[in-house]
Amino acid sequence: MLFSTKSLLAVGTAIFSQIVTAQNAFPGAVGFGAIATGGNGGTTYHVTTLADSGAGSFRDAVSGSNRNIVFDVSGYIVLKSAVSLSSSITINGQTAPAPGIGIMAGEVSASDKSNIIIRNLRMRQGNLDPATGKSAFNMGGAKNVILDHCSVAYGQWDSIDGVGVTNITISNSIIAFPIGQQFGAHIEGNQATYYGNLWVSGHNRQPLSKANSQYINNVVYNYQAAYTVANTGGIFNHDIINNYFIAGPSTTTVSNYYYQVNAGQSVYAKGNYADTSKDGVFNGALENKVGSAVVLTAPWASDSAAMASRSAADAYTYVLANAGASPRDEVDAFAVSTVQSLGKSGMIYTNQASTGLSNGGYGTL
């Protein structure tokens, strides 16, 4: 746990300054959530304490709209209850001093809010949260939301839950070790982009995508079911391009890299690989037959082809080196090393402590 000099001079106070420039999301943002405006053009709020509430706290920072939130502290913020975000905010986790900032023991909720940008934030619910029906991050009913370079772990209901969403992006993030239902992400609604993410040791929903979707340059490891649709939430279009699925010790049916993608769904699938050998060697094969879905001959989304700039093999290398919050911490390093075993290690957990990591499994910041 570290505090910057600025924060020590301003403990207990909220410091605001005017932002003079504005842009959609941030340079390099991709997908449907890239139109989020966040707190661009608003004021800057400095988080100066790791306390759950009060002046200078994260909870106070997200209580108002039109804010750019920066961090003068590092370490875990331990929630006493779920924290609700306001619309039109940007959470800049990359501004925290090393080793970075995290939220633990409760849900971060953007439910029914809009125009939210979250970058370089660790959200790790775990079973210290008694609310088993909540998730690490909830954006039900939200629109124009982008999560980028985030690390989401130990979700109880889902790691990420978003029913009734419009225009969301989850990019360059690590979604690992869900407990409880052991589900990665449940997304239903309008348009969703999943780009450059690392999904590790989930039973299912990596993601469950009942939306018109882009699923590009993702890596999924130790799945029991990976990209999932089902027909219970409507008929949608799916661009599934240059992803790598790698079976692990918990993978019981290796062909479940596509799961319940039934007739009526429309899929453009190209350049996807599955390594099902569990032999410690990176040796996947092309797998572009997606259930009984209607086969599209071109991507349904106009920017999918350009977004798929890396082959599945190159995506594996890039994602393992770059996904998640920066700097990479103990939990994310463990997730990456598990994937690097290429089928030899990994399990689906029921609680974070079973990982054997410090701080009761949450890792130390």
Side-chain angles (χ1 to χ4, degrees):
M1 177 186 310
L2 299 175
F3 294 78
S4 71
T5 302
K6 180 186 290 184
S7 69
L8 292 173
L9 295 173
V11 170
T13 67
I15 305 167
F16 294 86
S17 61
Q18 188 67 34
I19 295 293
V20 296
T21 59
Q23 61 186 21
N24 281 4
F26 50 86
V30 299
F32 298 113
I35 66 172
T37 54
N40 294 337
T43 53
T44 297
Y45 186 116
H46 290 253
V47 174
T48 59
T49 176
L50 297 176
D52 170 78
S53 60
S57 68
F58 178 73
R59 191 182 298 273
D60 192 48
V62 301
S63 66
S65 297
N66 301 311
R67 290 178 177 177
N68 270 277
I69 297 164
V70 299
F71 295 86
D72 297 345
V73 294
S74 67
Y76 270 123
I77 298 165
V78 182
L79 296 181
K80 297 179 180 179
S81 61
V83 61
S84 295
L85 309 183
S86 298
S87 294
S88 300
I89 60 171
T90 299
I91 299 172
N92 299 287
Q94 70 272 19
T95 60
I101 196 73
I103 311 294
M104 61 177 277
E107 179 182 81
V108 178
S109 176
S111 180
D112 297 320
K113 301 302 192 296
S114 63
N115 289 315
I116 293 174
I117 302 167
I118 305 176
R119 304 187 74 192
N120 278 274
L121 184 68
R122 299 158 185 84
M123 292 175 278
R124 296 170 178 153
Q125 180 190 18
N127 59 13
L128 288 183
D129 183 1
T132 58
K134 291 187 178 296
S135 303
F137 179 70
N138 172 30
M139 55 177 162
K143 65 180 180 179
N144 302 348
V145 176
I146 184 166
L147 275 65
D148 182 68
H149 283 286
C150 289
S151 298
V152 186
Y154 309 140
Q156 295 198 61
W157 190 252
D158 293 291
S159 287
I160 300 172
D161 194 41
V163 176
V165 299
T166 301
N167 294 333
I168 64 106
T169 292
I170 303 167
S171 59
N172 302 306
S173 294
I174 295 177
I175 303 99
F177 312 133
I179 61 175
Q181 291 198 112
Q182 302 168 326
F183 291 154
H186 176 190
I187 303 298
E188 297 188 30
N190 194 341
Q191 300 180 134
T193 301
Y194 317 90
Y195 173 79
N197 302 300
L198 182 62
W199 309 76
V200 186
S201 293
H203 163 60
N204 198 341
R205 300 183 180 178
Q206 299 178 94
L208 169 60
S209 193
K210 299 180 182 182
N212 292 319
S213 302
Q214 299 169 299
Y215 190 71
I216 299 171
N217 283 167
N218 294 272
V219 177
V220 186
Y221 179 74
N222 196 34
Y223 56 89
Q224 290 186 326
Y227 191 87
T228 303
V229 180
N231 274 341
T232 57
I235 306 301
F236 302 102
N237 299 309
H238 310 264
D239 288 340
I240 304 175
I241 308 173
N242 295 357
N243 302 284
Y244 222 113
F245 304 93
I246 305 171
S250 305
T251 305
T252 51
T253 304
V254 296
S255 61
N256 280 349
Y257 31 81
Y258 309 123
Y259 187 65
Q260 294 180 343
V261 188
N262 299 325
Q265 303 297 323
S266 296
V267 174
Y268 177 78
K270 182 180 180 181
N272 301 290
Y273 280 73
D275 181 351
T276 61
S277 60
K278 307 183 189 181
D279 61 359
V281 180
F282 188 61
N283 56 2
L286 275 169
E287 296 291 351
N288 292 313
K289 176 67 170 69
V290 184
S292 56
V294 173
V295 176
L296 299 177
T297 58
W300 74 269
S302 61
D303 59 342
S304 289
M307 197 183 305
S309 59
R310 296 182 178 88
S311 68
D314 288 345
Y316 171 85
T317 300
Y318 183 85
V319 168
L320 264 63
N322 293 284
S326 181
R328 187 165 281 173
D329 70 344
E330 184 181 4
V331 176
D332 285 352
F334 177 63
V336 169
S337 67
T338 299
V339 177
Q340 290 172 326
S341 76
L342 294 171
K344 292 293 190 178
S345 70
M347 63 180 291
I348 295 176
Y349 295 99
T350 58
N351 64 81
Q352 69 280 350
S354 296
T355 63
L357 301 177
S358 68
N359 192 24
Y362 286 98
T364 302
L365 288 178

